[in-house]
Amino acid sequence: MSEIIRFNGVSKKFGKVVAVNSVDLSIENGEIHSIIGENGAGKTTLMRLLYGMYKPNSGKIFVRGKEVNFSSPKDAIDNEIGMVHQNFMLIDDFTVYENVVLGSEPHHLIYFDREKAKRKVEKLAKAYNIEIDVNDFIDSLSVGFQQKVEILKLLYRNAEILIFDEPTAVLTYQESKALFDTIRKFKAAGKTVIFISHKLKEVKEISDRVSVMRNGKLLDTLKNENLSEVELSKMIAGREIKNLTTVSLKKGETILEIDNLTAMGDKGIPAVKGLSLNVSRGEVLGIAGVVGNGQSELEEAIAGMRKITSGQIKFKGIDITKMSVRKRRELGMGYIPEDRIRTGLAPLASILENIIMGHQNEKEFSARLDFMRRRRAKRFANRLVNEYKIVCKSIDEQVGTLSGGNMQKVVIAREFAHDVDLLVVSQPTRGVDVGGIEFIHKGILAMKKSGKAVLLISSDLDEILQLSDRIIVMYEGQIVHSTSAKNADVQKIGLAMLGMRS
């Protein structure tokens, strides 16, 4: 193969933080090249340099042997480079075809030629076996279908180099397999794919070569054929990562009881429909499902952040249906939300302030945070930053400046530090590196072992299978499948997540 991209001594700093440090990397034409590493290792930053979102402080980037100095993503697109980001760049009120052609619309005279646009998008989708109705509105589509729209946007602009940043973070098992089939078609068509992921099983399955980054530096680039997940995880974390397994315990008293719960979504239609479940001490109840099937509304209703239309929630035998968020926390409920930025954090506040949130009424930190209390708060925050390996300049750094995985670690650290009887945790390891995942999983299982109850909501089926004692699947606001973990059938669960029966 011939070289299509080269980074020569590329570095990028944000203030005093070196995000990418003198990286030399070659990407070959027509290969699937994975880039892996811990949170804050520099993977996404490196790709954003290639995509024109950032400019390097030093070094050179070559595309097809020619040095490039992109000043915007448009420059990258003009050079046939496209990127599918972790957070999709779509307009909810537009249709599929409108999103795909936006900014490059076909015209008849001075008017937008809608029929021609539809035909072009349909032809493109058919060429790559992407099954989608081009007339559907984005806000009616699952996350998996929204990702297909993002891919079509790149193909419409003739992208020959496609960058995928954590593409399977919110996909079901079947959707991930379909994405891999599409990626293989790209390779067969002579396109180059750069794949960023924390899921080593996927990296092994899809890659030709794998590059490992740590602390902004490129450690090595290796052929995939003889690599093992154990080797890769050890390179990423600098130590051996152990696979954890849950041990069934004798269940204690019922901690959470939900009876016939109905809650409305943001659009005024029921998102949770007559749902009933219970969780006991010493148990992890896993809720699987494609994002957008009522899990978000369920977690918010349990935490007191969403009004309940009907039904009842009992916590430790107490009716908390109309109780405030603060009262629920005082009773012993912990909450790690799905959306770390919108719900879990105050992005403009410091790491210290975010870690103390929820602890501020405790005697140790309460009142006006005078000198002694502030010193205790700093000591507490620094301990958690070190314990959870949160990559930052200091605890006074604005939390919104951290990488996605490190923001998640701030939320996890804060909630794990509470002495709770029930932990409601949603998507705990989304965008988190292998070392962080191991630490979070250990924390969840330690809570269970100490007699806590855990309600785990995750679109990562491997995570659900690894940690849960019982598993239920949500689809369109209802429970459509229930099983013990030991009797779980991956195929049946995956199909139930898509609303189908095996």
Side-chain angles (χ1 to χ4, degrees):
M1 291 185 186
S2 60
E3 181 181 84
I4 194 167
I5 296 164
R6 170 166 285 280
F7 296 88
N8 269 3
V10 172
S11 295
K12 177 62 181 176
K13 295 180 181 179
F14 296 98
K16 294 181 180 178
V17 176
V18 182
V20 174
N21 192 347
S22 300
V23 167
D24 294 309
L25 173 63
S26 173
I27 309 287
E28 295 180 351
N29 188 31
E31 75 168 332
I32 301 171
H33 193 118
S34 288
I35 302 178
I36 61 176
E38 292 182 309
N39 296 123
K43 311 177 297 296
T44 298
T45 301
L46 186 67
M47 289 303 104
R48 287 179 176 176
L49 290 168
L50 175 61
Y51 194 54
M53 295 176 74
Y54 302 144
K55 283 199 165 196
N57 295 108
S58 60
K60 297 179 180 180
I61 300 173
F62 297 86
V63 177
R64 300 182 184 89
K66 179 184 175 183
E67 185 180 351
V68 295
N69 293 286
F70 298 151
S71 58
S72 71
K74 185 181 182 304
D75 293 339
I77 292 166
D78 290 343
N79 280 267
E80 300 178 333
I81 300 171
M83 185 169 181
V84 178
H85 302 271
Q86 291 185 47
N87 301 311
F88 301 150
M89 312 288 185
L90 300 171
I91 300 174
D92 287 347
D93 295 334
F94 279 21
T95 62
V96 169
Y97 79 86
E98 288 170 333
N99 270 276
V100 171
V101 304
L102 185 63
S104 303
E105 299 90 341
H107 286 83
H108 178 68
L109 300 177
I110 62 170
Y111 300 104
F112 174 25
D113 192 336
R114 292 182 177 275
E115 292 306 314
K116 186 175 181 180
K118 289 180 189 179
R119 288 195 302 272
K120 289 182 78 170
V121 176
E122 283 172 344
K123 183 179 178 181
L124 201 55
K126 187 176 180 180
Y128 288 93
N129 293 333
I130 298 173
E131 295 182 8
I132 196 166
D133 187 337
V134 301
N135 296 298
D136 282 345
F137 286 90
I138 295 300
D139 63 0
S140 70
L141 299 178
S142 71
V143 174
F145 276 100
Q146 288 184 27
Q147 187 180 73
K148 291 178 181 180
V149 180
E150 287 282 13
I151 293 169
L152 285 170
K153 281 170 59 179
L154 304 188
L155 296 174
Y156 181 79
R157 287 157 182 79
N158 301 312
E160 291 295 321
I161 301 164
L162 297 102
I163 305 164
F164 290 88
D165 191 1
E166 297 287 349
T168 64
V170 292
L171 300 185
T172 65
Y173 173 80
Q174 282 85 353
E175 286 173 327
S176 295
K177 292 295 181 187
L179 173 64
F180 288 173
D181 287 342
T182 302
I183 288 175
R184 291 186 183 102
K185 286 185 177 70
F186 293 155
K187 179 182 175 179
K191 297 181 186 294
T192 303
V193 176
I194 303 173
F195 185 83
I196 300 173
S197 180
H198 286 114
K199 299 180 179 179
L200 300 186
K201 188 184 294 183
E202 295 179 349
V203 169
K204 279 289 300 167
E205 181 178 342
I206 200 72
S207 311
D208 294 306
R209 291 193 299 155
V210 181
S211 290
V212 184
M213 292 186 70
R214 193 193 303 161
N215 297 327
K217 295 182 178 181
L218 180 67
L219 293 185
D220 205 352
T221 296
L222 306 156
K223 287 185 178 180
N224 181 30
E225 52 198 35
N226 296 317
L227 287 176
S228 71
E229 289 179 43
V230 173
E231 287 176 284
L232 287 174
S233 63
K234 194 171 182 179
M235 286 183 72
I236 290 169
R239 60 184 175 83
E240 188 174 345
I241 301 293
K242 296 179 181 178
N243 286 323
L244 303 175
T245 54
T246 188
V247 177
S248 294
L249 304 174
K250 185 178 180 180
K251 288 199 299 184
E253 64 177 318
T254 300
I255 289 293
L256 179 70
E257 298 172 82
I258 298 177
D259 182 34
N260 202 28
L261 179 72
T262 297
M264 306 299 278
D266 293 336
K267 295 181 180 178
I269 57 175
V272 181
K273 306 168 186 175
L275 183 143
S276 299
L277 61 80
N278 60 76
V279 193
S280 301
R281 287 192 183 277
E283 177 184 40
V284 177
L285 174 64
I287 300 181
V290 178
V291 171
N293 278 283
Q295 305 97 308
S296 301
E297 291 81 2
L298 174 62
E299 65 172 83
E300 288 173 0
I302 296 169
M305 299 180 65
R306 182 171 294 270
K307 188 177 179 181
I308 294 164
T309 307
S310 62
Q312 185 183 56
I313 302 176
K314 284 186 175 181
F315 177 41
K316 298 198 289 190
I318 301 167
D319 186 347
I320 63 166
T321 308
K322 296 181 180 179
M323 195 175 281
S324 69
V325 174
R326 178 173 174 175
K327 287 289 185 186
R328 294 178 200 217
R329 291 186 74 88
E330 288 174 352
L331 269 178
M333 182 185 294
Y335 177 40
I336 297 168
E338 171 190 358
D339 191 331
R340 58 189 168 227
I341 296 174
R342 184 175 67 88
T343 311
L345 295 167
L348 298 179
S350 69
I351 295 169
L352 168 63
E353 289 164 331
N354 273 276
I355 284 179
I356 290 299
M357 285 176 189
H359 294 276
Q360 73 271 17
N361 296 313
E362 295 172 12
K363 185 178 179 181
E364 188 178 3
F365 309 118
S366 62
R368 293 184 299 277
L369 276 184
D370 59 20
F371 176 73
M372 285 298 293
R373 290 188 175 92
R374 185 162 182 81
R375 192 165 70 175
R376 289 180 198 137
K378 281 190 168 186
R379 192 160 55 233
F380 175 71
N382 276 314
R383 177 174 66 80
L384 292 185
V385 163
N386 292 329
E387 192 175 326
Y388 286 79
K389 294 183 172 60
I390 298 167
V391 180
C392 62
K393 289 178 285 188
S394 79
I395 57 172
D396 296 317
E397 184 180 351
Q398 206 175 73
V399 80
T401 65
L402 302 181
S403 71
N406 281 298
M407 282 193 273
Q408 181 73 348
K409 287 180 181 180
V410 172
V411 181
I412 295 281
R414 181 185 66 217
E415 296 303 309
F416 276 17
H418 281 287
D419 183 21
V420 300
D421 293 296
L422 168 69
L423 177 67
V424 180
V425 52
S426 183
Q427 316 299 344
T429 58
R430 182 182 290 169
V432 177
D433 58 63
V434 289
I437 290 170
E438 180 196 41
F439 194 93
I440 291 165
H441 285 182
K442 275 184 178 178
I444 289 172
L445 294 178
M447 281 196 161
K448 168 190 163 176
K449 189 176 179 181
S450 65
K452 317 295 187 186
V454 180
L455 181 66
L456 169 65
I457 300 170
S458 179
S459 54
D460 185 336
L461 192 48
D462 287 338
E463 182 166 70
I464 289 286
L465 291 166
Q466 187 177 353
L467 299 178
S468 305
D469 297 286
R470 287 187 296 129
I471 300 167
I472 60 177
V473 179
M474 281 186 71
Y475 180 75
E476 294 187 346
Q478 297 178 310
I479 295 172
V480 294
H481 184 74
S482 179
T483 180
S484 65
K486 64 181 179 181
N487 295 321
D489 184 312
V490 175
Q491 187 72 12
K492 285 182 179 178
I493 292 172
L495 290 171
M497 289 169 74
L498 294 172
M500 296 184 284
R501 293 175 182 246
S502 57

